[in-house]
Amino acid sequence: MSTSLEEYYSLYTNPLTVIRFYQIGYTFTFILGFLGNTASLLTFSRPTLRKVSTGCLFIILAIFDTLYLLMCVFDYLEFGFKVPFYPHIAYSEFCRFRYFVMNVSQVASAWILVIIAIDRWIRTQFPFKSGSICTPKNALIAVIILLVIDIGLNSHMLTPMFGIDIPGLAYGSCGPNYFTDKPYFLFYYIQWSMIQIFTTCVGPVSFMLMTLVAIFINIYLRKRAIIQPTQTIHGNQNMIRQKQMHKQMLILMFAIVYIQPVLIDITIIWTALGWVQSLNYAINFYIHCLTSTLFRTEFKLLMKNIFRKNQMKVTIIGNLKHNTHAQIINPLAKK
């Protein structure tokens, strides 16, 4: 016996707390995230930053963070404002695409931070070779390899095993169906949950911790090796710059440590955890600017250039209006 759309929505309704999370919490996340990611793209696209591997990696990070937030807009509209997408679109197909993009973005964002940490380690471990190793080209090659593995890992979400479940229900609208494919249902909520925890949290954090420890050891050993006074001054300056960068990397590491949802039946907790997770893809730019003098400087220069261009446009428009007005008045005065 088939169930109509009206019966679905009468049987499965989201609690008011869940609705408010989507209406208020995600509004805040989107404002913070889209503005921050746009600013990040503009800042790291500046010539001084995009020529180095770290800048290129931050550009790619901002792109994946933006993709994740864009996919969250669908939930924001459906669960927060009860926009009835089903049955007006191909719901199953869109579920597969949306969850696939979200999961690929999650894994990519976490491991791009690992690549950034490795990039910093290479610069401290092999300072004379880092110029030829840490290049934008090599950074892109590393990201491409990561993306190939990432897509292959999450490709099962594009199959018919995954799709529509209960339209309109937060964290129940899309997923595996127990009645149509029980083995995949069990795999998704047991084995796949463990894989997600490792690929988006435990694995990246472990690699970043090891890299950061190795960086600090390298800096410590170099500091002890400095003997001459002039070398000491120069070394101290380098140490200050390195500490600033490593402080940033440490905070970035904590930015990817979010609570991985597990299989539970309380929709409100699901929604709260999902919202906290979405914040991870909205705050990266603010973390970079708060912890890096170089990035703050480049962002300020970007804002000054934008302000200067706007001022020039206003001045040009004002002059054109003045000249046009003068051209009209002068012939009349002659007559």
Side-chain angles (χ1 to χ4, degrees):
M1 181 178 178
S2 61
T3 305
S4 66
L5 179 62
E6 291 76 14
E7 290 174 317
Y8 262 129
Y9 285 126
S10 63
L11 290 172
Y12 303 101
T13 57
N14 295 311
L16 182 61
T17 306
V18 171
I19 296 172
R20 291 292 180 263
F21 256 113
Y22 280 101
Q23 291 177 344
I24 301 172
Y26 277 86
T27 298
F28 171 76
T29 299
F30 291 146
I31 293 173
L32 193 71
F34 287 125
L35 287 177
N37 289 333
T38 300
S40 183
L41 286 170
L42 293 174
T43 301
F44 291 108
S45 295
R46 290 179 59 78
T48 52
L49 293 179
R50 70 169 181 259
K51 291 180 181 179
V52 297
S53 55
T54 308
C56 292
L57 290 169
F58 278 127
I59 290 173
I60 299 170
L61 178 66
I63 292 172
F64 279 110
D65 288 348
T66 303
L67 281 175
Y68 182 89
L69 292 178
L70 284 173
M71 296 299 103
C72 289
V73 172
F74 182 84
D75 290 344
Y76 174 69
L77 296 175
E78 185 177 29
F79 309 139
F81 298 95
K82 298 182 180 180
V83 177
F85 290 103
Y86 177 84
H88 304 293
I89 63 171
Y91 204 94
S92 280
E93 288 75 10
F94 191 64
C95 278
R96 293 167 194 152
F97 170 76
R98 189 164 55 88
Y99 273 71
F100 172 76
V101 173
M102 289 176 70
N103 278 269
V104 168
S105 299
Q106 285 179 342
V107 175
S109 294
W111 288 93
I112 285 172
L113 292 175
V114 174
I115 296 174
I116 292 172
I118 294 173
D119 178 270
R120 301 309 308 169
W121 174 76
I122 293 173
R123 292 180 187 276
T124 59
Q125 181 71 24
F126 310 104
F128 300 107
K129 296 181 180 180
S130 61
S132 59
I133 299 174
C134 301
T135 63
K137 180 181 178 181
N138 289 338
L140 290 174
I141 291 174
V143 171
I144 290 172
I145 294 172
L146 167 64
L147 197 56
V148 170
I149 298 172
D150 190 5
I151 291 173
L153 184 68
N154 291 282
S155 59
H156 62 91
M157 290 187 178
L158 294 175
T159 66
M161 296 182 295
F162 190 92
I164 186 172
D165 202 359
I166 306 174
L169 182 65
Y171 285 96
S173 60
C174 297
N177 192 298
Y178 178 83
F179 299 102
T180 57
D181 199 324
K182 184 178 178 180
Y184 180 70
F185 179 90
L186 296 175
F187 162 77
Y188 184 84
Y189 283 113
I190 300 176
Q191 287 91 349
W192 178 245
S193 294
M194 298 303 297
I195 293 172
Q196 281 186 308
I197 291 172
F198 177 80
T199 56
T200 60
C201 184
V202 177
V205 171
S206 299
F207 274 97
M208 290 188 73
L209 276 174
M210 290 187 293
T211 306
L212 288 171
V213 169
I215 289 173
F216 284 125
I217 291 174
N218 286 337
I219 294 174
Y220 176 75
L221 293 176
R222 280 195 191 171
K223 186 177 180 180
R224 293 192 62 181
I226 298 173
I227 300 175
Q228 299 296 330
T230 54
Q231 291 177 330
T232 302
I233 295 172
H234 181 68
N236 288 338
Q237 292 174 345
N238 287 334
M239 284 294 297
I240 292 172
R241 288 195 295 268
Q242 290 292 341
K243 284 182 178 179
Q244 290 174 343
M245 180 59 71
H246 303 325
K247 181 178 69 173
Q248 176 195 0
M249 293 308 306
L250 185 62
I251 297 176
L252 282 173
M253 180 194 72
F254 287 110
I256 66 170
V257 183
Y258 49 80
I259 302 174
Q260 182 69 28
V262 294
L263 182 59
I264 53 179
D265 298 325
I266 305 174
T267 307
I268 295 175
I269 298 179
W270 269 105
T271 305
L273 293 178
W275 175 68
V276 171
Q277 179 175 301
S278 70
L279 282 176
N280 180 59
Y281 305 93
I283 63 174
N284 276 325
F285 169 74
Y286 306 99
I287 293 174
H288 306 156
C289 283
L290 288 175
T291 58
S292 172
T293 304
L294 173 61
F295 297 161
R296 284 200 305 271
T297 302
E298 290 295 328
F299 179 67
K300 289 176 183 177
L301 290 174
L302 172 67
M303 292 295 102
K304 287 180 180 178
N305 289 338
I306 293 175
F307 179 76
R308 191 179 297 114
K309 288 179 181 179
N310 289 335
Q311 286 293 102
M312 290 177 61
K313 289 180 181 178
V314 171
T315 303
I316 292 172
I317 293 172
N319 291 336
L320 287 174
K321 288 183 178 179
H322 177 75
N323 294 335
T324 303
H325 181 72
Q327 290 174 1
I328 295 173
I329 295 297
N330 289 337
L332 292 175
K334 291 178 180 179
K335 290 182 181 179

